[in-house]
Amino acid sequence: TAIDQIDHDLYVSPDGDDNNNGLTPDEPLQTIAWAQTLIKRNDENPHTIHLAAGIYSASLNNQKFPLNIKQGVKYVGISPQETILDAENITPFFFHLSRNEEELIKLSLNKIKLKNGYNFQLNGGTLLVYNADVILNRVIMENCKGSVSGSAITNMNGYTQVIDSIIKSNLGGSAISLFSEYNAPNP
């Protein structure tokens, strides 16, 4: 069955319901993954997934991590003290390893806390991305576990902007690990 995508901002709340339409704060969806599935890519007018205050985790409200990045979609919380994504030491939050060198995928996170991410077999306990333009604005990443190369963020052949953010108490190699392959399209 085909899913009709919505060309509109969407709202998500830990107390929401994935049977809601997600078009207003009064009718929020529950899971970020379902909002990503429903929201339509619009390069001329990028959309936002608005995250209400609360804790988003698999055990509390059926969140599914890691999330694949939906091109151009922004993820905006209330504040990093109020909007908390908790991966419960099971998985990272975002994972994108497409080798489509024609398109630099964009990920924008604003006013969110990411805690207890885990990716010890690879890199990036919070984010593991390839060929991505990552913008972190007022984001807290804490208690995440990555491998020797990157405890919080690993971005290969992409760009990472960190603005007014905190990366603390993570386990593994450097907090942010940026790799550029030989002859990379985006060194």
Side-chain angles (χ1 to χ4, degrees):
T1 352
I3 295 173
D4 290 328
Q5 293 192 312
I6 300 169
D7 197 4
H8 195 278
D9 286 1
L10 292 177
Y11 294 83
V12 179
S13 170
D15 301 322
D17 187 326
D18 281 349
N19 292 314
N20 289 342
N21 63 27
L23 295 173
T24 68
D26 295 330
E27 288 280 326
L29 301 168
Q30 183 180 53
T31 63
I32 302 165
W34 186 239
Q36 271 191 176
T37 300
L38 291 177
I39 203 164
K40 184 174 184 172
R41 176 180 174 169
N42 185 332
D43 293 338
E44 293 174 21
N45 183 24
H47 295 302
T48 300
I49 294 176
H50 299 275
L51 302 172
I55 298 173
Y56 295 79
S57 72
S59 65
L60 292 177
N61 41 50
N62 305 311
Q63 299 302 318
K64 295 176 179 41
F65 299 120
L67 298 163
N68 288 317
I69 299 171
K70 183 79 170 235
Q71 172 65 353
V73 172
K74 299 175 202 158
Y75 303 81
V76 178
I78 303 300
S79 78
Q81 293 75 27
E82 297 176 87
T83 304
I84 301 165
L85 279 60
D86 185 347
E88 303 176 312
N89 295 306
I90 298 170
T91 178
F93 294 94
F94 290 91
F95 186 83
H96 177 80
L97 291 178
S98 170
R99 294 203 178 253
N100 178 359
E101 296 176 359
E102 300 297 316
E103 180 174 54
L104 191 66
I105 193 139
K106 295 182 190 237
L107 172 64
S108 175
L109 302 175
N110 299 283
K111 300 184 274 188
I112 298 170
K113 179 188 277 187
L114 305 166
K115 71 177 197 173
N116 301 322
Y118 182 84
N119 196 6
F120 214 69
Q121 286 74 27
L122 294 169
N123 300 313
T126 305
L127 306 173
L128 175 58
V129 293
Y130 181 91
N131 205 31
D133 183 359
V134 177
I135 300 170
L136 307 173
N137 189 1
R138 294 187 58 206
V139 171
I140 296 174
M141 295 180 177
E142 68 180 6
N143 298 323
C144 296
K145 295 171 186 74
S147 74
V148 176
S149 296
S151 63
I153 301 168
T154 298
N155 189 351
M156 297 171 278
N157 297 341
Y159 306 96
T160 302
Q161 257 187 69
V162 181
I163 305 159
D164 195 21
S165 295
I166 298 170
I167 300 171
K168 68 177 188 173
S169 302
N170 297 294
L171 177 65
S174 55
I176 299 174
S177 212
L178 305 174
F179 294 95
S180 192
E181 296 175 325
Y182 179 71
N183 289 331
N186 304 297

